[in-house]
């Protein structure tokens, strides 16, 4: 029989409260281990110790709110550099994005890096305690849509849990980083491009992990493993499988099948991957899971007769003992725009309608801010926090009223927000002191186009649609640009498609914005957010600054230049009476192939850096300046022809541009510039691309999709463009 014990409110800092001691006695009486929040040696919950940051969101409510007050509006201007730890990749010249939130427990700071690496450092000095490299096969970089990033670890009972890019869940010894166990979480490993980029979540005696890969055509699921042994306990699939291959794996899928066409495109996997942060509420004994986008995107390709297509783009409440679905809420029925609901979820107690409600809040990609009853899943409210036109509103039942003009089946459509989302993975925060949520938000529109001849193809992107952002339209050939320009002229009532990023302070009770400040005009200009009891909200930017603002007004108090783009969320902790702020920096992720022009990576060398700050600190050291690139003389290729170069241009766009961007400095990226290759590299080009000689560094073999003749055509294109680029440089 399951025992449910309601936790009391957290005690005031300074010592365990009677309620906590009572909880410990109750747990002991039932022979149970502490759950929900990690317990200290004296039995107090970790989150009741304001100096620590024991979980990604600090405690089970995941509000990313620090109760520390030493750093405040009165002295934030004196915040300065304390220490730095260099978190460089071991993969050579390519530096990948840093997206993880650190945790601090028992005087050690732990944070994950690309591939599922883990760093343990001294939180006062930055000295390394240990470092873990999962030694992932570098070819798995090809299986990741958006870089080889990782978003965090979890810790309990001396074990650090992390997911690796190649799909393993690993338990490490917190003292030395040695592997205690690892389990393979992937199904269809050999035929589907699954990866793990999201963090695990602890819930009672299990550790739960999801995965990424919907863009490649996979079926989403989460799996729970015994936290001590790694033995599998249960698995919840988020979308149905092909009924011809057997009955649904669990009762929730029987209900979900009713919302899908019987002739759905089962080969495409259907999507619904779980790649964001999960939450466990020990008061309700519920595990909250946000699910991802469809595969392919258009509903008419995957479920021709329509339907809600459960449980895509949904918030699920699961029983952590057996994975049973307790309730669900779908944010985007019939999801067709890559509107994931994997963005971070926050738990809070809010007074709504004259009574206190235990709520769960989310600002997903689709642009609406949702407040739900977290015990029952009852819809409370939803309003747009940025400009939205795919739906006019969410009705009283909690269902969005979708617009017919957002359907792109027969003609391109202009849709807000873009597939990048009004809010993506960068965590928002909530301050119980101000009552406001702080959202790293984006206003941006796209032209989305159907791919009518879509069919699932192993090893390739399988979206079934193409999204063109505003700035990209000007780069299209005239024949492709003309109809899109005409479409834009036909919709003068819509705002510009140009990107505008903001930090928005949002009142979830009133469903109203309280303030907003601009962060940048490029995609992913602003990072994750931290709120503190010092009336502060902190956010890093792609321009390489850590900005401190008043939480109540948004007024800027300090802007610390570090010279490295910050995508991740900061944390705050206290050691020996000193309050610190720490954040991991390094640009990458979805923008790894094309850095924003305003980002610090255009000026300084970009690599992983973990930095800490304290009152009275000095200026942060800046990385070395980025070296100006010079184009070498292009080699002569046997059999070169303009026709081959034209063919190679199309092949490059289909197979290479996703990572290697465009010609010259117009798309500076984390990956090698193929338009500036030496003659020696050109001589090895086929061995690299088809032979996989650099697979260990992340450049997997593409022999399954390009032939020897294709390689010759791609090289012809690159040499032609390299000659033009060199000529441009010599005339400057």
């Amino acid at each position: 029989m399951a025992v449910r014990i309601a936790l009391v409110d957290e005690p005031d800092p300074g010592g365990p409260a009677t309620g906590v001691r009572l909880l410990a006695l109750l747990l002991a009486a039932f022979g149970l281990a502490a759950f929900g929040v990690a317990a200290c040696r004296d039995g107090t919950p970790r989150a009741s110790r304001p100096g620590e940051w024991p979980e990604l969101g600090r405690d089970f409510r995941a509000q990313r709110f620090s109760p520390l007050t030493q750093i405040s509006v009165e002295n934030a201007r004196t915040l300065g550099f304390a220490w730095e730890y260099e978190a460089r990749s071991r993969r050579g010249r390519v530096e990948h994005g840093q997206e993880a939130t650190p945790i601090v427990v028992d005087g050690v700071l732990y944070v994950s890096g690309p591939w599922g690496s883990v760093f343990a450092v001294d939180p006062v000095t930055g000295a390394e305690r240990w470092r873990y490299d999962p030694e992932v096969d570098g070819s798995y970089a090809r299986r990741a849509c958006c870089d080889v990033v990782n978003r965090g670890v979890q810790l309990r009972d001396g074990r650090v849990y992390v997911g690796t890019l190649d799909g393993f869940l690993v338990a490490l010894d917190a003292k030395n980083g040695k592997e205690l166990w690892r389990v393979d979480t992937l199904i269809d490993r050999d035929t589907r491009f699954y990866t793990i980029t999201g963090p695990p979540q602890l819930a009672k005696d299990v550790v739960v992990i999801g995965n990424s890969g919907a863009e490649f055509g996979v079926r989403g699921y989460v799996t729970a493993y015994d936290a001590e042994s790694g033995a599998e306990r249960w698995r919840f699939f988020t979308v149905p499988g092909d009924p011809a291959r057997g009955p649904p794996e669990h009762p929730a899928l029987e209900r979900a099948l009713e919302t899908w066409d019987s002739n759905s495109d089962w080969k495409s996997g259907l999507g619904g991957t779980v790649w964001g942060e999960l939450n466990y509420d020990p008061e309700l004994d519920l595990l909250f899971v946000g699910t991802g986008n469809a595969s392919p995107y258009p509903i008419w390709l995957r479920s021709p007769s329509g339907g809600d297509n459960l449980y895509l783009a949904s918030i699920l409440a699961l029983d952590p003992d057996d994975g049973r679905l307790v309730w669900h809420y779908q944010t985007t029925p019939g999801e067709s725009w890559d509107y994931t609901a994997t963005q971070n979820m926050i738990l809070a107690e809010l007074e709504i309608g004259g009574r206190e409600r235990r709520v769960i809040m989310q600002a997903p990609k689709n642009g609406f801010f949702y407040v739900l009853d977290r015990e029952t899943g009852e819809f409370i409210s939803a309003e747009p926090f940025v400009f939205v036109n795919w739906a006019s509103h969410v009705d009283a039942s909690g269902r969005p009223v979708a617009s017919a003009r957002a359907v792109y089946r027969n003609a391109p459509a202009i849709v807000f927000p873009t597939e990048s989302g009004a809010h993506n993975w960068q965590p928002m925060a909530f301050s119980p002191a101000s009552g406001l949520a702080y959202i790293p938000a984006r206003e941006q529109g796209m032209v989305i186009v159907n791919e009518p001849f879509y069919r699932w193809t192993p090893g390739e992107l399988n979206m079934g649609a193409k999204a063109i952002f505003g700035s990209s339209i000007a780069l299209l050939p005239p024949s492709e640009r003309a109809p899109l320009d005409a479409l834009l002229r036909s919709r003068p009532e819509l705002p510009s498609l140009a990107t505008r990023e903001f930090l928005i302070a949002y009142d979830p009770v009133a469903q109203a914005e309280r303030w907003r400040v601009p962060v940048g005009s490029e995609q992913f200009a602003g990072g994750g957010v931290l709120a503190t009891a010092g009336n502060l909200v902190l956010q890093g930017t792609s321009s390489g600054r850590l900005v401190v603002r008043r939480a109540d007004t948004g007024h800027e108090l300090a802007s610390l230049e570090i010279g490295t783009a910050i995508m991740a969320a900061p944390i705050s902790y206290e050691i020996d009476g000193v309050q610190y702020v720490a954040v991991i920096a390094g640009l990458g992720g979805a923008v790894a192939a094309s850095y924003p022009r305003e980002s610090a990576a255009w000026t300084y060398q970009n690599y992983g850096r973990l930095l800490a700050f304290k009152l009275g600190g000095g200026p942060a050291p800046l990385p070395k300046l980025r070296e100006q690139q010079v184009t070498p003389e292009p080699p002569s290729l046997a059999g070169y022809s303009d026709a081959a170069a034209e063919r190679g241009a199309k092949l490059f766009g289909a197979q290479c541009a996703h990572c290697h961007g465009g010609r010259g400095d117009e798309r500076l990226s984390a990956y090698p510039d193929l338009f500036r290759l030496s003659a020696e590299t050109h001589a090895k080009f086929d061995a690299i691309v088809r032979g996989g000689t650099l697979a260990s560094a992340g450049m997997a073999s593409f022999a399954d999709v390009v032939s020897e003749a294709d390689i010759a055509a791609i090289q012809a294109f690159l040499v032609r463009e390299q000659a033009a680029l060199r000529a441009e440089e010599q005339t400057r």
Side-chain angles (χ1 to χ4, degrees):
M1 180 179 72
V3 179
R4 295 178 182 252
I5 303 173
L7 291 179
V8 296
D9 291 338
E10 290 181 10
D12 292 331
T18 302
V20 176
R21 289 195 296 270
L22 176 59
L23 172 61
L25 290 171
L26 287 170
L27 292 170
F30 283 98
L32 300 174
F35 58 83
V37 290
C40 300
R41 292 187 179 91
D42 63 4
T44 61
R46 287 279 182 202
S48 70
R49 293 190 165 191
E52 294 197 325
W53 192 281
E55 300 183 45
L56 296 180
R58 190 178 172 274
D59 64 9
F60 79 87
R61 290 180 175 84
Q63 295 174 356
R64 295 178 182 268
F65 174 79
S66 169
L68 299 175
T69 59
Q70 185 180 102
I71 304 172
S72 67
V73 294
E74 287 77 19
N75 56 25
R77 68 185 180 281
T78 69
L79 192 65
F81 174 77
W83 56 259
E84 172 183 355
Y85 173 78
E86 195 171 284
R88 283 184 180 271
S89 167
R90 291 181 174 175
R91 296 283 180 175
R93 61 185 292 190
V94 178
E95 288 296 337
H96 299 282
Q98 304 284 349
E99 299 186 356
T101 302
I103 62 175
V104 178
V105 174
D106 284 340
V108 182
L109 185 151
Y110 306 88
V111 66
S112 63
W115 307 93
S117 56
V118 182
F119 313 113
V121 306
D122 186 303
V124 175
T125 66
E128 181 178 299
R129 297 288 185 86
W130 52 259
R131 176 174 177 153
Y132 168 74
D133 184 346
E135 299 182 352
V136 175
D137 179 351
S139 68
Y140 265 80
R142 181 181 165 190
R143 300 178 178 229
C145 81
C146 310
D147 203 359
V148 299
V149 297
N150 189 282
R151 299 189 187 92
V153 302
Q154 298 285 7
L155 172 73
R156 181 191 291 168
D157 296 334
R159 298 185 187 89
V160 177
Y161 301 95
V162 68
T164 66
L165 187 76
D166 55 350
F168 289 89
L169 176 64
V170 181
L172 306 174
D173 188 319
K175 296 189 300 294
N176 53 33
K178 303 298 183 183
E179 281 191 10
L180 300 174
W181 52 256
R182 68 160 45 203
V183 293
D184 188 351
T185 74
L186 300 190
I187 61 172
D188 300 326
R189 174 178 286 276
D190 296 331
T191 58
R192 302 279 173 167
F193 275 20
Y194 282 102
T195 53
I196 293 178
T197 57
Q201 176 62 54
L202 288 156
K204 297 171 76 169
D205 59 349
V206 296
V207 55
V208 186
I209 193 77
N211 44 56
S212 308
E215 281 71 23
F216 291 98
V218 301
R219 184 185 180 199
Y221 60 90
V222 290
T223 314
Y225 298 90
D226 185 281
E228 183 174 351
S229 68
E232 183 177 325
R233 297 275 285 272
W234 52 260
R235 175 168 286 159
F236 183 96
F237 285 96
T238 62
V239 292
D242 186 352
R245 300 182 65 180
E249 289 86 348
H250 48 78
L253 286 181
E254 295 179 7
R255 299 189 295 273
L257 265 175
E258 299 172 3
T259 69
W260 290 82
D261 191 319
S262 59
N263 293 316
S264 290
D265 183 17
W266 307 110
K267 286 184 179 179
S268 290
L270 307 182
T273 49
V274 179
W275 54 266
E277 295 179 19
L278 314 183
N279 302 64
Y280 173 63
D281 183 348
E283 295 179 345
L284 299 175
D285 195 18
L286 290 176
L287 174 72
F288 300 110
V289 175
T291 69
N293 56 280
S295 181
Y297 294 171
I299 191 170
W300 49 88
L301 294 181
R302 69 174 185 274
S303 182
S305 64
D308 286 354
N309 288 189
L310 293 173
Y311 298 96
L312 295 173
S314 298
I315 298 174
L316 313 177
L318 305 181
D319 186 323
D321 292 324
D322 54 14
R324 175 181 57 88
L325 180 67
V326 178
W327 60 257
H328 79 274
Y329 175 81
Q330 190 173 41
T331 60
T332 312
E335 196 284 303
S336 296
W337 304 274
D338 190 12
Y339 286 164
T340 65
T342 53
Q343 286 57 53
N344 71 304
M345 298 168 284
I346 288 175
L347 313 184
E349 286 67 51
L350 302 178
E351 185 174 328
I352 300 175
R355 65 188 180 100
E356 186 177 87
R357 304 288 298 270
R358 290 191 287 192
V359 304
I360 185 168
M361 300 179 286
Q362 189 187 52
K365 275 190 182 182
N366 74 13
F368 287 88
F369 189 97
Y370 292 88
V371 181
L372 310 176
D373 185 299
R374 71 177 188 259
E375 183 172 8
T376 65
E378 175 191 354
F379 172 78
I380 296 176
S381 64
E383 293 291 341
F385 58 93
V386 294
F387 179 77
V388 167
N389 80 335
W390 72 273
S392 61
H393 65 286
V394 177
D395 67 22
S397 71
R399 188 175 185 85
V401 180
S403 169
R405 302 191 76 168
V407 178
Y408 52 96
R409 181 171 188 171
N410 299 316
I414 304 173
V415 180
F416 289 77
T418 68
E419 63 180 12
S420 293
H423 171 221
N424 206 287
W425 65 266
Q426 292 90 339
M428 68 176 181
F430 174 77
S431 169
S434 68
L436 300 177
Y438 301 94
I439 313 168
R442 178 183 306 109
E443 287 194 335
Q444 181 186 45
M446 64 180 172
V447 177
I448 188 165
V449 182
N450 184 37
E451 293 184 9
F453 303 109
Y454 166 81
R455 60 181 297 176
W456 178 70
T457 304
E460 296 191 13
L461 295 172
N462 286 272
M463 280 93 83
K466 180 181 180 181
I468 307 167
F469 295 176
S471 59
S472 300
I473 293 176
L475 302 177
L476 295 173
S479 60
E480 296 180 34
R481 187 172 67 244
L484 300 184
D485 286 339
L487 174 63
L488 293 173
R489 288 194 297 271
S490 72
R491 301 292 304 278
E493 78 282 6
L494 295 177
S496 166
L497 300 189
T499 305
R500 293 167 295 168
E501 293 214 9
F502 304 92
L503 177 62
I504 295 177
Y506 196 83
D507 185 333
V509 176
Q511 282 283 359
E513 179 182 306
R514 295 308 181 204
W515 55 258
R516 73 165 56 190
V517 293
V519 177
S521 59
E522 299 279 358
Q523 189 171 335
F524 299 112
V529 183
L530 164 70
T532 81
N535 192 25
L536 302 177
V537 58
L538 297 89
Q539 181 188 30
T541 70
S542 68
S543 62
R545 293 182 177 274
L546 179 65
V547 182
V548 187
R549 300 183 183 277
R550 287 185 65 111
D552 53 355
T553 67
H555 175 71
E556 183 178 306
L557 300 170
S559 179
L560 286 67
E561 183 179 8
I562 68 166
T564 304
I566 302 173
M567 307 169 69
I571 66 166
S572 190
Y573 58 91
E574 185 178 83
I575 304 285
D576 296 330
V578 178
Q579 182 180 353
Y580 296 84
V581 170
V583 68
I584 195 163
L587 192 59
V591 297
S594 182
Y595 290 155
R597 185 173 288 273
E598 68 184 27
S599 72
W602 280 81
T603 304
Y604 299 102
Q605 294 180 15
N606 177 59
Y607 57 90
R609 305 171 71 198
L610 176 63
L611 300 107
F613 307 86
K614 64 181 180 179
L615 295 177
L622 301 177
K624 292 181 180 179
L625 293 174
R626 182 171 66 87
E627 296 179 3
Q628 183 65 39
Q629 299 185 75
V630 178
T631 304
E633 181 74 30
S636 298
L637 296 179
Y640 172 87
S641 70
D642 289 340
E646 285 300 313
R647 178 169 173 267
K650 295 179 181 178
L651 288 166
F652 179 88
Q655 303 296 343
C656 312
H658 178 67
C659 288
H660 293 279
R663 178 168 68 87
D665 281 341
E666 292 189 9
R667 293 180 112 184
L668 181 68
S669 80
Y671 303 101
D673 185 349
L674 301 190
F675 298 89
R676 287 190 166 100
L677 297 180
S678 66
E680 291 77 12
T681 303
H682 268 291
K684 303 173 184 175
F685 198 77
D686 185 73
I688 294 170
V689 179
R690 296 197 320 121
T693 57
L694 296 182
S696 62
M699 176 58 202
S701 168
F702 278 69
D704 57 324
V705 291
V706 292
S707 65
E708 186 175 357
D710 292 337
I711 291 296
I714 292 172
Q715 283 189 273
F717 164 68
L718 293 175
V719 165
R720 185 188 73 181
E721 296 303 301
Q722 184 169 331
L725 183 60
R726 182 174 173 83
E728 291 172 12
E729 291 176 358
Q730 292 178 337
T731 57
R732 288 174 187 168

